Amino acid sequence: MEIDLGRKVRDLRKFYGISQKEVCENICNQSYISKLEKGLVHPSANMLSMLADRLGVSTQYFFDYFVDVTQVNYVYQVIDFISKNLDRAKYEDVLAMVEAEEKNPLFRGHQLQQFLLWRKGICIFHIDENKFKAISFLDKAIEQSETTNKNKSEIELDILLSKANIYSMVDEHNHAAALYEELLSASRKHPYLQNDKLVLRIYYNYSKNQFDQNQFKKSVGLAKSGIKQCLNTDSLYMLADLYFQCGQSLWHSNKKQIEEPLLYLEKSRNVFMLRENEEFAGFVEEEIEDIKNYVKHTDL
């Protein structure tokens, strides 16, 4: 996708009421700025850096597809609303927002259309329980990408993860497992993953998928890999969930050994408590007590 650097310079300059003369002072001549804004010249990296400093933004501003200086707050507010309410499982509210913005000119870019299609597919699955319709929207979202069949963008991996999770939730575990395996391979090959959380979600959901298929040993291995990733990056994100999944899988793989499962479940409870998630901490505590009661009434 081509970025119109000149338009972004012009829009930001006019937004702040800065003249071309003020922008170019001690950087270049005014005619260069005029030509740049008309798309007649392309700035060097050094020139773009100086212009970014003058306009008070990072160079990333010029390459951000989402940014339109006059409407940037609105676009990001919509994205933030959709993301936060999806996390809260408010699917009807999210779907209403997505459908309200689908034809909004501000969202006509490929990446924003991809974002809306992705979120719409997730909402439709949870509201209508329509796997086929949901997957069709996720596939349409993936089609918006401009990558080749040899590589995948970070958002493509995230959309594929949503697709795998849907297959898991409708008990198409083998189909889901194939996607999780593809996702792990692609994420390991990716040269620059900015979102560490994506890999953690892959490990957790794949581990859960294997647990649901009674593949407890592989489930433990995936959960432990996720835990290692959390600890290496000093991240609490998904750590409690991964500890729990690991403890559950260890327990179901061998109910004659309780020390290690209890250790992981207690770590899960403690992290949930640390994050002030008392509901989930209480749920894990119940699991711990169930194991202890099982041992008490079983001749181990």
Side-chain angles (χ1 to χ4, degrees), residues 83-225:
S83 299
K84 286 182 177 177
N85 283 282
L86 202 60
D87 288 341
R88 296 165 183 159
K90 295 184 176 180
Y91 302 114
E92 290 84 358
D93 292 345
V94 172
L95 184 59
M97 175 64 80
V98 167
E99 291 180 339
E101 301 299 338
E102 280 178 319
K103 295 182 180 179
N104 186 335
L106 295 177
F107 286 84
R108 66 178 175 266
H110 287 298
Q111 288 197 339
L112 289 170
Q113 282 292 307
Q114 184 176 57
F115 176 82
L116 294 178
L117 287 165
W118 173 25
R119 297 324 203 182
K120 188 173 186 176
I122 294 172
C123 291
I124 284 174
F125 174 75
H126 288 283
I127 295 170
D128 299 337
E129 298 182 357
N130 188 328
K131 176 195 73 174
F132 298 104
K133 192 174 179 182
I135 293 295
S136 73
F137 277 109
L138 297 183
D139 286 339
K140 287 177 184 176
I142 292 171
E143 288 169 8
Q144 295 289 319
S145 298
E146 298 186 23
T147 52
T148 72
N149 59 2
K150 295 180 180 178
N151 67 310
K152 288 181 173 60
S153 66
E154 200 163 322
I155 193 169
E156 280 180 274
L157 297 180
D158 227 335
I159 296 168
L160 281 173
L161 178 57
S162 297
K163 193 172 175 179
N165 291 343
I166 287 175
Y167 282 127
S168 263
M169 285 186 278
V170 296
D171 296 330
E172 293 186 26
H173 296 300
N174 290 333
H175 200 160
L179 279 175
Y180 289 129
E181 199 63 44
E182 179 185 344
L183 282 161
L184 270 184
S185 176
S187 64
R188 287 166 181 158
K189 290 178 182 176
H190 201 288
Y192 184 57
L193 276 181
Q194 292 181 294
N195 185 2
D196 292 331
K197 294 179 179 179
L198 172 60
V199 177
L200 297 176
R201 292 201 304 275
I202 295 170
Y203 276 124
Y204 171 74
N205 285 288
Y206 194 5
S207 177
K208 189 173 183 299
N209 167 272
Q210 292 299 290
F211 176 84
D212 291 338
Q213 296 183 78
N214 298 325
Q215 300 297 316
F216 302 121
K217 185 176 180 180
K218 185 162 185 178
S219 178
V220 169
L222 289 162
K224 285 186 174 181
S225 293

Side-chain angles (χ1 to χ4, degrees), residues 6-155:
R7 181 184 64 81
K8 290 207 165 193
V9 169
R10 182 189 67 237
D11 287 352
L12 190 58
R13 177 179 66 77
K14 289 187 174 181
F15 180 74
Y16 284 121
I18 302 172
S19 68
Q20 288 184 343
K21 183 179 179 181
E22 289 171 316
V23 169
C24 70
E25 186 177 355
N26 298 325
I27 296 177
C28 59
N29 56 50
Q30 188 173 337
S31 65
Y32 181 88
I33 295 296
S34 178
K35 290 177 181 178
L36 172 61
E37 292 186 355
K38 292 175 181 176
L40 300 177
V41 295
H42 194 85
S44 66
N46 185 53
M47 176 65 73
L48 197 60
S49 177
M50 289 189 290
L51 290 173
D53 288 342
R54 177 61 48 82
L55 293 167
V57 295
S58 72
T59 53
Q60 182 59 36
Y61 164 83
F62 298 108
F63 300 97
D64 192 333
Y65 295 115
F66 292 175
V67 171
D68 181 323
V69 68
T70 56
Q71 279 92 18
V72 61
N73 287 337
Y74 178 76
V75 171
Y76 278 113
Q77 282 169 7
V78 170
I79 292 171
D80 186 60
F81 174 89
I82 290 172
S83 299
K84 286 182 177 177
N85 283 282
L86 202 60
D87 288 341
R88 296 165 183 159
K90 295 184 176 180
Y91 302 114
E92 290 84 358
D93 292 345
V94 172
L95 184 59
M97 175 64 80
V98 167
E99 291 180 339
E101 301 299 338
E102 280 178 319
K103 295 182 180 179
N104 186 335
L106 295 177
F107 286 84
R108 66 178 175 266
H110 287 298
Q111 288 197 339
L112 289 170
Q113 282 292 307
Q114 184 176 57
F115 176 82
L116 294 178
L117 287 165
W118 173 25
R119 297 324 203 182
K120 188 173 186 176
I122 294 172
C123 291
I124 284 174
F125 174 75
H126 288 283
I127 295 170
D128 299 337
E129 298 182 357
N130 188 328
K131 176 195 73 174
F132 298 104
K133 192 174 179 182
I135 293 295
S136 73
F137 277 109
L138 297 183
D139 286 339
K140 287 177 184 176
I142 292 171
E143 288 169 8
Q144 295 289 319
S145 298
E146 298 186 23
T147 52
T148 72
N149 59 2
K150 295 180 180 178
N151 67 310
K152 288 181 173 60
S153 66
E154 200 163 322
I155 193 169

